[in-house]
Amino acid sequence: MTPTPGSASSVSVPHQWINATTGRIAPERFSWLQAVVWAQEDQTYQNTCGHGPQHIGDTTLAVAVELARFNPCRPGIETLARRLNRSVRTIKYHLGILRDTGLLAYRIKGTRVSGIGNLASEYVWTIPQAFDAALHLVTRTSDRLIRMVIGIKDAGRNRIKRLACTVQQLLRKRRPRRTLRPNHNSRTTRCTPMRGSSESLSTAGPTSLPPESKLETGEASPPTRGKTRTRRVLNTTGRRFQLARELIEQTEWLNRCSVPRIAWIVRAVADAGWTSTDVRAWLHLRGESRHIRRPSGFLATVLHNAENVLDTPAKRADAVAHWRASLEVARRERIQSVRHHAERFDDVWQQPASPAVRRMVDAALTAAPPVVSYDADQDVLPAVSGVGELSAAEVEAIRDEARARLMAGDTGPISAAIASLGREIACDLYGHDLVLRGLQLMSATRSPLLSLGT
């Protein structure tokens, strides 16, 4: 397809973050891959660096297909390079192409945390506004997706069908395997002899025409063609493995399980015609657990006798409807909670509500630096006092308040505690996981998007 004049565009670095993007969040991976294929056809990428790939090619599509397999989209560059048999620099180039085209946005940028190591970047699949305009899509604002599609005009229906067919071919395409070297010990004849000369005879043999009698009667055999491949129908074992793979991809706590083990566990529901959506709805009805030590054993326990309880498609449809309704209610509650915290806390850091923490912060800010005595003979420094004077209820209240502030994007309490009391006491006060999350957010917000006030 000929590129549209003036269609090339490049997203600036400040707009490559999810809170500043001009596009919309893709609802699922299929729609996002349609936007990637569209960007390749229209050549929307414009290289301004002078080095690296000059356009969106097959390698970019291969990287996008691998990114679509991660949910959440938090791949490691070394992992992508190993799966695609490419170099790390090539993977970085094509990730930059997807960000510059507006197809990827940072949620958290990878960084290095002292004492922990490297943290991978987390991306969000985004669809630029130019795609909606080119496909004649009708959108409206959405709390979860920034904008959501509510319709399409007749002018874009044929093209979106072609994009869907291309995406299906990409998803069905397997990774290329290593090519085998030709076997020189084979007894088959060669078109060109290994030590042949111009005097050697051709192994193709003489070419003869069919007799005219067969041509007159139409009995000449047509040229042989390759057999058309028919779509393979899955048997019982294939359906079990298909259901197991879908559950591992869609369920977070099953992502490290082996496919054969999960296929053996779900054999009863797979034979009964269950889908992955039906299984997830059943897990919701039975009650999901936050702490699962052995995912395969937990799944086997929950699915015991499930095919006899929801034995009809109508019952399974009711369970799926109830599950989706509960997801919608939980989503609205999260949005309402985020709005409540955004209205309650502003950008300026506020003192904690707990009187005990306020006393500790005021004492740390106003007190003079202590004079530390050092004994050269013993070579021992005095120990730093902790937070043992607080009760368990006060510590829990302090952590709940800091966790609520982190949900609104405010790392003020944790950063103030680390700066004034030290990281060790801050970990005792807020907990190691909460301090780690605060450090991760603080490192992620070191971007040109934020302006720090005094």
Side-chain angles (χ1 to χ4, degrees):
M1 181 176 293
T2 305
T4 305
S7 63
S9 61
S10 179
V11 178
S12 59
V13 175
H15 291 86
Q16 292 180 6
W17 290 76
I18 188 57
N19 56 351
T21 182
T22 58
R24 59 183 175 88
I25 301 176
E28 31 78 26
R29 67 173 185 174
F30 195 89
S31 301
W32 181 67
L33 288 176
Q34 283 181 315
V36 176
V37 174
W38 164 83
Q40 184 199 26
E41 292 180 353
D42 283 12
Q43 291 299 321
T44 61
Y45 172 66
Q46 181 180 5
N47 190 343
T48 58
C49 300
H51 57 85
Q54 302 297 319
H55 61 278
I56 301 177
D58 295 337
T59 305
T60 312
L61 292 181
V63 173
V65 171
E66 289 298 327
L67 291 177
R69 304 181 190 276
F70 290 90
N71 190 15
C73 187
R74 192 181 179 184
I77 296 180
E78 290 80 5
T79 302
L80 293 177
R82 184 174 62 255
R83 287 190 176 186
L84 298 176
N85 197 16
R86 298 291 192 276
S87 64
V88 173
R89 171 50 56 189
T90 300
I91 299 300
K92 290 182 178 180
Y93 273 136
H94 291 281
L95 287 177
I97 289 176
L98 294 175
R99 292 195 304 268
D100 293 341
T101 319
L103 295 169
L104 279 182
Y106 282 118
R107 184 188 297 274
I108 297 176
K109 190 172 183 180
T111 183
R112 297 178 181 176
V113 179
S114 177
I116 300 176
N118 299 337
L119 298 178
S121 300
E122 183 174 349
Y123 296 101
V124 179
W125 305 328
T126 55
I127 299 177
Q129 292 182 351
F131 174 80
D132 299 339
L135 273 297
H136 304 280
L137 298 177
V138 181
T139 61
R140 64 175 177 85
T141 57
S142 172
D143 295 332
R144 185 173 64 92
L145 304 175
I146 303 177
R147 292 190 310 275
M148 63 180 302
V149 178
I150 60 175
I152 183 173
K153 298 181 181 178
D154 295 337
R157 294 183 182 274
N158 293 331
R159 188 174 184 186
I160 203 169
K161 289 180 181 179
R162 293 197 303 269
L163 294 177
C165 294
T166 306
V167 171
Q168 289 177 355
Q169 295 176 1
L170 289 176
L171 294 177
R172 287 197 299 263
K173 186 177 180 180
R174 297 182 179 180
R175 300 191 188 98
R177 298 181 178 179
R178 294 181 179 179
T179 57
L180 299 177
R181 295 182 179 180
N183 187 5
H184 297 295
N185 297 326
S186 176
R187 296 183 179 179
T188 57
T189 58
R190 301 176 182 273
C191 295
T192 304
M194 293 293 293
R195 299 182 180 178
S197 62
S198 59
E199 299 178 356
S200 60
L201 298 177
S202 173
T203 58
T207 303
S208 60
L209 297 176
E212 295 182 359
S213 59
K214 291 186 178 181
L215 293 178
E216 292 177 356
T217 58
E219 297 178 359
S221 59
T224 58
R225 297 180 181 179
K227 297 181 180 180
T228 58
R229 296 181 59 182
T230 59
R231 188 173 182 180
R232 185 178 63 178
V233 180
L234 294 177
N235 55 8
T236 302
T237 305
R239 284 193 297 269
R240 294 175 181 177
F241 275 77
Q242 183 184 26
L243 179 59
R245 282 191 294 267
E246 292 177 356
L247 287 176
I248 291 174
E249 292 179 358
Q250 298 174 9
T251 309
E252 183 178 0
W253 47 272
L254 286 175
N255 55 3
R256 293 188 178 182
C257 297
S258 63
V259 175
R261 179 179 293 273
I262 301 301
W264 182 82
I265 292 174
V266 301
R267 65 190 186 282
V269 293
D271 297 344
W274 285 42
T275 62
S276 60
T277 306
D278 299 336
V279 175
R280 297 178 68 186
W282 173 257
L283 293 176
H284 171 73
L285 292 179
R286 287 293 306 270
E288 299 182 359
S289 177
R290 295 184 178 180
H291 304 284
I292 301 176
R293 296 184 178 180
R294 189 183 178 192
S296 58
F298 176 77
L299 182 64
T301 303
V302 173
L303 289 181
H304 178 67
N305 202 30
E307 68 278 4
N308 297 327
V309 178
L310 301 181
D311 53 351
T312 61
K315 293 181 181 180
R316 294 195 292 269
D318 293 339
V320 171
H322 178 74
W323 171 55
R324 289 177 176 173
S326 64
L327 290 180
E328 181 66 21
V329 172
R331 185 184 68 84
R332 292 180 180 179
E333 291 179 354
R334 287 196 302 269
I335 294 174
Q336 187 66 24
S337 176
V338 171
R339 289 179 177 176
H340 173 71
H341 289 294
E343 295 174 357
R344 181 179 176 184
F345 305 108
D346 51 8
D347 294 337
V348 183
W349 179 77
Q350 298 178 357
Q351 289 190 355
S354 175
V357 179
R358 282 204 304 269
R359 289 195 302 269
M360 294 176 60
V361 174
D362 293 340
L365 295 177
T366 58
V371 179
V372 180
S373 60
Y374 176 74
D375 191 355
D377 297 332
Q378 298 181 0
D379 196 15
V380 176
L381 293 177
V384 182
S385 60
V387 292
E389 59 180 338
L390 300 178
S391 62
E394 291 178 343
V395 172
E396 189 65 23
I398 292 170
R399 293 183 179 180
D400 291 341
E401 181 185 4
R403 189 176 295 106
R405 298 282 289 271
L406 279 180
M407 290 181 63
D410 184 11
T411 59
I414 295 179
S415 60
I418 294 175
S420 59
L421 304 176
R423 181 170 177 178
E424 183 178 359
I425 299 180
C427 290
D428 294 338
L429 180 61
Y430 292 103
H432 179 73
D433 295 337
L434 207 58
V435 172
L436 178 60
R437 183 59 179 169
L439 290 174
Q440 188 176 7
L441 287 179
M442 283 187 285
S443 60
T445 53
R446 294 173 187 170
S447 65
L449 301 176
L450 298 179
S451 59
L452 299 178
T454 57

